[in-house]
Amino acid sequence: MPSPSQAPESGPELTDSVAAVLSTPGEAFALLRLSAHLSATPERQAGGAPRAYAAPLAWFSAAACCSGPTGRTLAARNAGLLTRLIHGAPASPRRSAALDRVCRLFPGQPEFWLLAATERSGDGAEERKALRRALVLAPERPRPWIRLAVSRFRDGAVDTARAVAPARRAATIAPALSDAHRVLAGMLLDGLEIDVPAPALLRNSLRRWALLEADPAGARPALEGALRKAGDVDALIRVGAWARLRQAASGQGTYDRGPGAALDAFAAEIAGLAPLRLDTEFEARVFADRVLLHPKLPNNGVWRLHGPTDQCERAARVLRHYNPEATVLAPDAPGTEEQGSEGRTLAVVPCDDPEAWYLPCLWGHPHIWWTVLPAILDPAAAPDLDRALSFGLRTGQNVTFWTGDAKARAHIAANAERGRRIADRLGDAASRHGYLETMAADRPTFLRRFFTEAGHRAQYFDYAVYRPGDVILSMGVAEGFEIPAYLSLIAPGGVLHNIDPDGHGRLGAPARAWIDPAWLERTGCAVHVHPVAISDVDGEIRMQTGGHWEDSRLSRRPADQMTTLASKRLDTLVAEQRLDKIDHIKLDIEGGEGFVLDQVIAVMNSHRPQIEISIYHTPEQFFDIPERMMAETEGYRFFFHHYSGQFAEATLYAIPEEIEPLMPIKP
């Protein structure tokens, strides 16, 4: 008789297996063989016999196998088949209990422990316990190491290094297994900060995944997305081309260079910035007595940074570049003790020192200097073109328009005269020049301005005037990079309303530090969160999921990426909150600005707030929003600035004539 561990044949052997059980009903080997036949035989070939009979027979054979030394030897010899049969049984408490018994009776069989890990996947600690037991017995198997890494990573309570270690072990054991490199790269990518260069281990894992991937066509989008996130331009060109070449060679398509040519052009544009010099020649601007929003210090004395180590290190590099004569000390940096207590405290987060100066940490958004400058400055605080190239790729600066280049350029060209009329209405020469320059959509010009001017521009804080006690409606929050600056400038007594479908769910650590209840109580400020989409509908709207919430009416996403979310009209929110005073309205709601524009204009005419509104999400809005606001409001001055290396982050400012705008530090 063949071993039960062999795959059973259907047909006459099924009858033979039934006969064997009938002749020796207590014989475990026969029961195991019959259950294997039933599980593998299509019902139409089994005369309608339910395949579900395989499960109870498997349990009966397992019980028989556990009933004596001979049965246990048989079960150990056929552990693989018994494992498959147990795994095929319906999930139930009985299955879990029986599996626990099998593991106790056969502690030296890794297959049973691996099955137990699957059974316990809902309990991370128990799952990992079973996986570790299996790996003690079979450390040469790579996939259990991968499963252990994923379980640790999914837990969140386990630090990243411990989660990554099993994935590295799997990649070492099986260097030709693409899944090991894919999982390892995914874990390393997840913890990679936007302004930190990708480590060699991550780059190598991504390249090996690409070269070993068995399904280059299916993996192509995920692979290229991972390479972009790592900012490895060379790898994206070379490895991406290799993946497409393998795809073509396997008959899955014709070979093309994909993004290679476009990336070559982008790399050439960045190289054209050489030598990369940042504009550091401007005067320091001090807000509210001791608040700085830009990296220029008011004097060249000793400045002691206070706050999280990583953010202080970022700030120190930037401040040293912009203030080479000043002494900037990060916490625990060499030389700090020798300086004694000399100098001023410069806090990036709330601080107990009543004499502290503040440089609110605005890190997180890819177009604010707090993120841009640490990314492109090397450890010696010098601008680096390779870092600029990597950061540009990671933040999408290599794409001029997100809405389709040809369509966007055609719309801009057709509306050039409208654009010139809008520019003529803007309130200063810098705004007029910037609007026309943005309309020209010349990416090399965008990139040069983006990098060189980053230090003396801050989105939402050019032209707008913030005062203690101001009330701000911030629509579109995400990581909330602007929150620390808001709460620094409107204290004491200011009120901030954050309106976003995610509420505060995606806030970064810097923003969370500034909404701490103790700090708000100390400053007399209040922060209210409204987890709704602001729109033209009270009730619900369909929105794109993930990353950025986008109204489905923009028709830029597949239907399967949509979800239904609570929405509220702006005028409804104003009425519910009884807002007689509104000093600022900031809107960056992924193209939804057009759906609330009527209401914004009404509030401008009734409450006279300052406006900071995004006009870049569609080419149409670049013209429609300023044109309508200029035509339908009275007593406002309009200004503009573009904060990105692509056609993005274009912000229109509307300032009531009774408020003197805060002109940019350096036009």
Side-chain angles (χ1 to χ4, degrees):
M1 183 180 291
S3 168
S5 61
Q6 299 173 356
E9 302 280 344
S10 60
E13 288 200 10
L14 177 62
T15 304
D16 293 342
S17 295
V18 174
V21 171
L22 293 174
S23 61
T24 54
E27 216 283 311
F29 183 95
L31 288 166
L32 190 60
R33 184 72 178 169
L34 176 58
S35 60
H37 271 112
L38 286 174
S39 67
T41 303
E43 291 196 19
R44 57 184 174 79
Q45 295 182 16
R51 292 177 62 186
Y53 289 166
L57 281 171
W59 288 122
F60 195 80
S61 62
C65 287
C66 298
S67 61
T70 302
R72 285 195 286 274
T73 300
L74 177 65
R77 198 176 297 154
N78 297 281
L81 177 58
L82 187 56
T83 300
R84 290 195 297 274
L85 291 168
I86 294 173
H87 185 63
S92 67
R94 181 177 296 178
R95 184 177 82 170
S96 298
L99 182 57
D100 288 343
R101 184 165 182 247
V102 170
C103 287
R104 288 196 302 272
L105 289 165
F106 302 103
Q109 288 296 322
E111 288 84 357
F112 294 145
W113 289 108
L114 290 173
L115 184 56
T118 301
E119 186 79 13
R120 302 166 185 174
S121 59
D123 184 332
E126 288 298 314
E127 177 189 24
R128 291 189 291 277
K129 181 178 178 181
L131 284 170
R132 287 193 297 269
R133 187 65 179 265
L135 286 166
V136 168
L137 298 168
E140 75 286 353
R141 297 186 181 185
R143 294 198 179 276
W145 287 108
I146 295 174
R147 290 176 60 185
L148 179 60
V150 171
S151 178
R152 285 181 174 178
F153 190 75
R154 189 176 57 227
D155 191 306
V158 178
D159 64 81
T160 302
R162 285 196 65 214
V164 167
R168 296 188 68 174
R169 179 71 179 268
T172 302
I173 293 170
L177 182 62
S178 65
D179 281 352
H181 302 291
R182 175 182 57 81
V183 170
L184 177 57
M187 291 180 174
L188 294 171
L189 268 177
D190 187 80
L192 184 66
E193 301 288 12
I194 195 172
D195 58 346
V196 175
L201 178 62
L202 171 56
R203 295 196 302 272
N204 291 336
S205 297
L206 286 169
R207 293 170 184 177
R208 290 177 179 176
W209 170 25
L211 294 172
L212 296 168
E213 176 57 52
D215 180 17
R220 177 174 167 178
L223 175 60
E224 291 187 350
L227 288 167
R228 288 178 188 277
K229 188 174 180 182
D232 195 335
V233 180
D234 181 67
L236 184 58
I237 295 173
R238 296 176 184 275
V239 178
W242 173 243
R244 286 187 295 280
L245 184 61
R246 290 181 59 226
Q247 179 181 340
S250 65
Q252 299 179 52
T254 58
Y255 174 72
D256 65 86
R257 284 204 68 204
L263 288 169
D264 282 337
F266 179 63
E269 291 168 359
I270 294 291
L273 301 178
L276 181 56
R277 294 193 178 97
L278 308 183
D279 186 353
T280 62
E281 299 300 320
F282 57 91
E283 295 296 322
R285 173 171 283 173
V286 180
F287 298 81
D289 294 332
R290 293 196 301 273
V291 176
L292 304 172
L293 297 187
H294 307 91
K296 197 71 170 181
L297 297 171
N299 64 60
N300 289 326
V302 176
W303 296 83
R304 296 176 169 279
L305 288 164
H306 167 84
T309 301
D310 58 339
Q311 300 298 357
C312 286
E313 192 280 332
R314 287 184 171 96
R317 270 191 294 141
V318 176
L319 291 171
R320 287 165 188 158
H321 183 80
Y322 280 80
N323 308 272
E325 302 301 320
T327 300
V328 179
L329 301 175
D332 304 321
T336 301
E337 293 183 1
E338 288 81 349
Q339 295 291 333
S341 58
E342 181 185 353
R344 295 180 173 86
T345 297
L346 184 60
V348 302
V349 294
C351 175
D352 292 333
D353 182 354
E355 301 300 319
W357 284 62
Y358 283 94
L359 181 70
C361 180
L362 310 184
W363 179 84
H365 193 278
H367 302 107
I368 193 74
W369 70 261
W370 257 99
T371 309
V372 177
L373 297 178
I376 66 174
L377 293 174
D378 65 18
D384 183 90
L385 278 175
D386 288 337
R387 285 173 169 256
L389 177 59
S390 176
F391 182 76
L393 178 65
R394 294 167 72 178
T395 56
Q397 312 300 327
N398 59 303
V399 178
T400 305
F401 294 96
W402 289 110
T403 54
D405 194 279
K407 179 182 177 182
R409 289 185 185 279
H411 185 84
I412 290 173
N415 289 272
E417 184 56 38
R418 287 176 70 195
R420 285 188 284 271
R421 289 197 299 269
I422 291 168
D424 288 343
R425 288 283 312 274
L426 294 173
D428 67 340
S431 296
R432 292 189 287 273
H433 175 79
Y435 188 87
L436 294 174
E437 182 181 87
T438 306
M439 196 168 68
D442 179 65
R443 192 168 63 205
T445 302
F446 285 175
L447 290 169
R448 183 171 295 279
R449 182 182 291 274
F450 173 56
F451 288 123
T452 59
E453 294 186 353
H456 57 78
R457 289 285 192 168
Q459 191 176 22
Y460 310 134
F461 301 98
D462 293 323
Y463 301 105
V465 178
Y466 295 86
R467 299 155 298 194
D470 274 1
V471 176
I472 302 173
L473 302 187
S474 178
M475 304 179 203
V477 177
E479 78 287 332
F481 83 90
E482 67 275 15
I483 290 175
Y486 282 157
L487 294 175
S488 299
L489 301 181
I490 66 174
V495 179
L496 173 61
H497 292 267
N498 286 328
I499 307 156
D500 191 282
D502 283 323
H504 283 170
R506 294 172 55 206
L507 285 191
R512 292 188 183 280
W514 287 83
I515 62 171
D516 179 75
W519 176 253
L520 294 177
E521 182 178 1
R522 176 176 163 182
T523 60
C525 291
V527 176
H528 304 287
V529 58
H530 307 273
V532 298
I534 206 74
S535 186
D536 56 347
V537 176
D538 283 327
E540 294 179 336
I541 58 172
R542 297 280 290 169
M543 300 196 81
Q544 176 244 338
T545 60
H548 303 284
W549 294 112
E550 181 180 277
D551 196 302
S552 64
R553 289 171 289 181
L554 294 173
S555 301
R556 299 195 302 193
R557 307 285 177 176
D560 62 355
Q561 293 183 12
M562 299 293 175
T563 191
T564 300
L565 293 173
S567 67
K568 185 171 290 187
R569 288 177 57 88
L570 172 60
D571 47 23
T572 300
L573 185 141
V574 170
E576 288 177 350
Q577 298 297 313
R578 300 180 181 178
L579 298 178
D580 296 327
K581 169 180 159 64
I582 302 174
D583 299 288
H584 292 267
I585 293 179
K586 185 269 286 182
L587 292 101
D588 187 351
I589 52 176
E590 307 307 318
E593 290 85 358
F595 300 117
V596 298
L597 186 56
D598 288 340
Q599 302 169 69
V600 171
I601 290 172
V603 174
M604 290 172 71
N605 289 324
S606 62
H607 288 69
R608 308 289 293 165
Q610 299 174 68
I611 305 294
E612 303 89 40
I613 184 170
S614 296
I615 61 171
Y616 64 88
H617 291 109
T618 69
E620 293 80 5
Q621 291 184 357
F622 188 73
F623 302 99
D624 294 346
I625 292 176
E627 193 173 63
R628 284 198 55 196
M629 290 175 69
M630 290 172 175
E632 299 177 31
T633 62
E634 294 184 1
Y636 271 87
R637 296 175 66 189
F638 295 89
F639 303 90
F640 172 88
H641 193 68
H642 173 222
Y643 296 90
S644 174
Q646 58 181 198
F647 191 88
E649 308 306 326
T651 303
L652 181 71
Y653 296 86
I655 312 297
E657 289 180 347
E658 58 269 25
I659 297 174
E660 185 64 28
L662 185 66
M663 304 307 285
I665 293 176
K666 192 170 184 178

